[in-house]
Each structure stands twice: as structure tokens, then as C-alpha cells.
Amino acid sequence: MYKTRILIISNRKELSAKLKKLIENLAQSALYTNDLSYALKIIQSQEIEFIIISDTIKEKLSSFIEKIRVLTYNFRPIIIAISKSSDLKDRLEVLEHGADDVIGEEISKSEFQMRFMAHLRRYIESYLNPITGIYDKYITHKAIRQSLAEDNNYSYLLIKIKNALTYRTTHGEIAWEKAIKTLSAIINSALSKDDYIGHISDDEFILITNPMIAEQIASFLTFAFDNILNKFYSEDEFSNNFTMEFNDNKEENKKGLMRLNIAVCEKNNQKLDYRLVLNNLYETLNLLKETEKSIYLIDRAKIQGEVSSISKNKVLVYEQDEALSYLLKNVCELNNIIVKTVFEKTQFQEEYGNFKPDVVILDWGNKNESTSLDIAKQISKDNIKLIFSSSYLNKKEILKSGADLYIPKPYEIDDMINWIKKFLN
């Protein structure tokens, strides 16, 4: 969908018309003008990528090109000069002042088209991600701005690979490249010729498409990604549905497998800054719940609508060590966290239902009983953050039970409080 913007600047209408036709025969579109002030204005405002300038303009060609280069310091358009002069000195002067190529007016139609496409190809290739072969962040921002300026309506999909950093760290760059290439192929298979796909970061994509098919694409991508996920993990990791980075002696936040989180919003009729679109997409993405599958969420409100948030501030502690339990309670209260402590399973069940905590801290108090593991499995079904502390160093079993964080005892109380705050936020 991304369209390279091409501007022809010439004081000879017949030359401009000829060049425009040659470019349109290559499935590109171009504007032309003989007004130099207007040309400079449109080059800056629209960030024109490709400029063709004839020496018929009412200003010295080399000086005007130099002026363009100064005004386009934050982006670098391709500049091709068209000159009727065969003097080598004139051509070298134009190149020295910033032109990428100088072409004589006598050039054949086919050679002009070949030169044009060669420059265009090099420009596009310079903005492709080297792994996926799709557009990078710079072009993606321009594509969003371009779509917002059009009269057509569009939907924007922010596609994020959740837990990408963990996978990249534990499995290495070769495995990561294979995974990201596979996802890129899946995305490209779902697109039409009018759609746009590009990176916003290494593990995030922006897809611009027709609103009529946006949900269909999001549904397909989440389904397809989950169905090829087993190719990137060992049988043990895939069956457990999480990955471990460290040994039992080190605390670890539970790292799930890679999943796709997709936020979708639609363009409204207002003229918006592209940053508002991105902000809305990230706010929508933050509303996605923790799940063991890929998931998408569509914001059907206006892009300028704000996302409300619900404050989370309640912690339930099941710790059989009374001294530690008392310490946790006091430190939580000093941090303005509402906290309740329990010491028995029956007491926990009662408080859990009435208190409705946002975070639960569980201690594995007795190696030979499974009370804490049973509680953990119950909590994991309720989508509540669970911190599991233990002195028995059995990380895999604890994380399999549904814990979001494993902390081996003894631990620093400050570390525990920092994790509580992180989960509450």
C-alpha cells in the first residue's frame, strides 16, 4: 500500500508530461510543478522521496538542489537532474551540490525508466529490515501519516510478539531469525496488494488494511501463529507452556511461550497526528489479558478516546512463618498497599473469596504436602498474579502450577516489595 511520492520540477510542461507518463507506465504516480516555492513547500510537508529536476527552472540547477538538501536534512530524497547541457563541468557541478544522478534530455524512454527503477529500488532496499525483508520503522511512520491524509478509511493493527526477548535470550539469534521470518511469511500471506505491513520495532509490526477485513486478519494471525509455535520449542517447553532462564537458586518471573498480542483501531474522519494512532494502539494492547494463547482486541471507539484503567492495590499473603508474614504486612502498608495475611488453607479460601486480591503471595511451607500447589492451580484459573516463595528449590513444579514468579527463600524483603509493585501496576 505504501506509495513513494515523486515530484517533477520543470518549466517545460511537455517535458513534465512526458516524464510523468513514463513513470506512470511503471505503476508509479508523480506530481509536477514549475513553481519553485510550492515545490520546496511540498517537498518538506509531504517528505517527498523522489525528485526529478530539469535545468529549465528559473534558478541555477546546482543552487536549487543544494537548497533542497539543506531543507531535507532530516530525510534524504533521491534527486535526479535532467540537463540539456553536455558539458561535463556542468554535470559534475550538479552532482557535487547534491544530485544523485544527472540525465541528459536526449536519453531514451527505456533507459530513463531503468535508471528511475534502479534508484527507487535502492531507496526502498535501504529501509527494509535485513531479516524479514519488510519495511522498517521509518517507512512505517510515513505510511501511517500517508494513510491519515487520504480520504479512505483504514484499520491499524499493532502486532506484538509477546515474550520475544526471552525467546531470543534463551534460544539464540538463529532460532529468533527463523521465528520472525516465519511470522513475516504468515502475515504476508494474509495481505492484499492494497495493505501495508512494516516494523515498528524488532518484535512489533504495524499492519494497515481495510476495516472490513481487519478482524478477520487478526483472527487468522493469532490462530496460525499458535498452530506453528511448537516448531520453535522443545517438547518439554511446549508441554509446560513456559521457558526457564535460570537454575533453582535464582528468582524468576514466569516466562510464557511466544504469543501474538494484536491491538486494532480504526481511523476516524478527523485529521490526526500519527502519534495519536500509535498511542491508542499501545493503550489498547495494554488492556489485553494474560492468556496462554495469542489474542487480539479491537478498539471500536474513536482514536482520540482515552482508555480508562482500574487501580489494583490488594495483596493476600499465605505465609506460615509468622515473623515473615508480619514483616511483609508492615512493609506493604508502608507502601500504601492493602494487605491481608493468613496462615491456614481454610482461612485462605475464605479471605480469597471475600478480599478479591490483585496479587497473592504463597509459601510452600511443607515439602511433603501439596496445599500450596493446589491453591496455586486454583488461583491461576482466576488470572490473578501469583508470587510463590519456597526453600525447596523446585522451580519447574512451582511454575507449572501457575505461579507468575518464583522466589527462593531466603529472599530480600525489598525484592519482594518491588515485584509486588510491578504486578500491581
Side-chain angles (χ1 to χ4, degrees):
M1 187 199 79
Y2 181 72
K3 303 178 184 72
T4 305
R5 282 156 290 200
I6 302 158
L7 178 64
I8 301 168
I9 308 171
S10 172
N11 210 34
R12 283 172 51 199
K13 189 173 181 180
E14 63 275 16
L15 176 62
S16 298
K18 171 189 169 184
L19 296 176
K20 186 175 188 297
K21 185 176 181 180
L22 291 174
I23 290 170
E24 288 175 345
N25 288 339
L26 297 170
Q28 303 290 329
S29 60
L31 301 172
Y32 66 82
T33 183
N34 62 356
D35 186 331
L36 301 188
S37 297
Y38 172 74
L40 293 175
K41 182 179 178 180
I42 197 173
I43 287 169
Q44 284 188 291
S45 63
Q46 296 190 22
E47 294 187 18
I48 300 293
E49 294 99 339
F50 207 120
I51 304 167
I52 302 172
I53 312 175
S54 165
D55 61 2
T56 61
I57 61 174
K58 296 177 180 179
E59 189 172 324
K60 188 177 181 182
L61 184 57
S62 59
S63 299
F64 189 69
I65 289 174
E66 187 173 33
K67 192 180 294 184
I68 291 174
R69 285 294 180 219
V70 171
L71 294 175
T72 58
Y73 68 92
N74 56 336
F75 67 101
R76 194 193 184 286
I78 298 167
I79 299 177
I80 294 182
I82 305 287
S83 176
K84 57 183 175 293
S85 173
S86 59
D87 190 326
L88 179 60
K89 183 180 178 181
D90 291 340
R91 296 192 174 205
L92 291 178
E93 184 182 10
V94 170
L95 291 170
E96 184 180 358
H97 284 76
D100 295 288
D101 199 359
V102 182
I103 298 174
E105 281 193 12
E106 73 284 355
I107 190 171
S108 69
K109 294 179 181 180
S110 58
E111 184 181 351
F112 171 81
Q113 289 178 320
M114 284 292 96
R115 283 176 176 264
F116 171 82
M117 289 305 296
H119 284 292
L120 184 61
R121 183 173 62 252
R122 281 194 292 272
Y123 178 85
I124 290 173
E125 287 175 352
S126 68
Y127 291 107
L128 295 181
N129 181 285
I131 299 174
T132 61
I134 62 178
Y135 290 117
D136 67 5
K137 180 179 179 179
Y138 174 75
I139 296 295
T140 297
H141 284 172
K142 294 184 76 171
I144 297 173
R145 291 198 294 270
Q146 193 178 97
S147 67
L148 290 171
E150 295 180 9
D151 294 331
N152 295 333
N153 199 13
Y154 292 105
S155 280
Y156 303 89
L157 284 73
L158 172 58
I159 304 168
K160 180 176 180 62
I161 308 176
K162 185 182 174 185
N163 299 319
L165 181 58
T166 299
Y167 183 82
R168 201 168 180 172
T169 302
T170 56
H171 291 74
E173 288 298 315
I174 294 176
W176 163 250
E177 288 184 10
K178 180 182 177 184
I180 196 75
K181 284 179 179 177
T182 303
L183 174 59
S184 301
I186 292 173
I187 295 174
N188 278 310
S189 72
L191 304 186
S192 71
K193 64 181 179 63
D194 295 323
D195 294 336
Y196 171 85
I197 183 65
H199 282 273
I200 202 73
S201 68
D202 282 351
D203 56 8
E204 294 174 330
F205 303 83
I206 291 290
L207 195 160
I208 306 175
T209 189
N210 187 318
M212 300 295 291
I213 60 172
E215 184 168 2
Q216 181 182 346
I217 291 175
S219 177
F220 167 75
L221 293 179
T222 52
F223 171 80
F225 188 74
D226 283 353
N227 276 273
I228 55 93
L229 197 62
N230 63 322
K231 298 181 183 297
F232 307 120
Y233 290 96
S234 67
E235 288 186 17
D236 187 51
E237 288 174 312
F238 190 73
S239 62
N240 289 334
N241 204 35
F242 63 82
T243 297
M244 293 194 303
E245 294 183 78
F246 311 110
N247 59 34
D248 286 346
N249 293 309
K250 187 173 177 60
E251 70 181 52
E252 184 166 352
N253 187 16
K254 184 177 181 179
K255 308 294 194 314
L257 307 185
M258 289 187 294
R259 300 292 178 183
L260 285 192
N261 282 2
I262 303 178
V264 186
C265 71
E266 290 185 17
K267 169 187 173 184
N268 58 28
N269 294 324
Q270 301 174 8
K271 298 295 183 183
L272 298 175
D273 189 289
Y274 77 98
R275 286 165 291 199
L276 288 173
V277 177
L278 291 175
N279 287 342
N280 182 260
L281 285 168
Y282 279 108
E283 287 176 349
T284 304
L285 197 71
N286 289 336
L287 292 176
L288 288 170
K289 296 180 180 179
E290 293 284 337
T291 67
E292 293 186 352
K293 292 184 177 181
S294 296
I295 187 173
Y296 67 89
L297 179 63
I298 299 177
D299 175 18
R300 301 197 185 275
K302 298 296 184 185
I303 280 177
Q304 287 180 313
E306 294 185 0
V307 180
S308 61
S309 59
I310 300 173
S311 176
K312 295 182 177 182
N313 201 36
K314 295 192 290 185
V315 177
L316 179 60
V317 180
Y318 180 16
E319 171 60 65
Q320 297 179 50
D321 183 329
E322 291 191 26
L324 181 56
S325 178
Y326 180 77
L327 179 59
L328 277 170
K329 185 176 188 296
N330 279 274
V331 176
C332 283
E333 289 174 347
L334 287 172
N335 283 273
N336 298 314
I337 298 170
I338 302 171
V339 62
K340 287 196 175 184
T341 58
V342 297
F343 305 100
E344 297 177 354
K345 183 177 180 179
T346 53
Q347 185 185 11
F348 174 87
Q349 298 288 8
E350 182 180 345
E351 289 292 353
Y352 180 75
N354 296 331
F355 186 52
K356 300 187 184 310
D358 302 302
V359 174
V360 172
I361 300 173
L362 278 184
D363 166 52
W364 194 351
N366 189 328
K367 187 176 182 179
N368 297 316
E369 58 94 16
S370 60
T371 299
S372 295
L373 290 176
D374 293 338
I375 291 174
K377 291 173 183 176
Q378 173 194 339
I379 294 170
S380 66
K381 296 177 182 178
D382 297 335
N383 200 30
I384 291 173
K385 291 295 184 181
L386 173 60
I387 299 174
F388 211 130
S389 63
S390 171
S391 56
Y392 300 120
L393 306 181
N394 197 340
K395 183 189 293 187
K396 181 179 287 189
E397 188 170 359
I398 286 172
L399 293 178
K400 282 177 68 175
S401 71
D404 295 286
L405 173 68
Y406 160 86
I407 297 186
K409 286 186 174 181
Y411 55 79
E412 295 291 334
I413 199 71
D414 286 345
D415 292 338
M416 177 64 84
I417 294 300
N418 287 336
W419 276 108
I420 292 172
K421 289 178 178 178
K422 181 177 180 180
F423 286 147
L424 287 175
N425 289 332

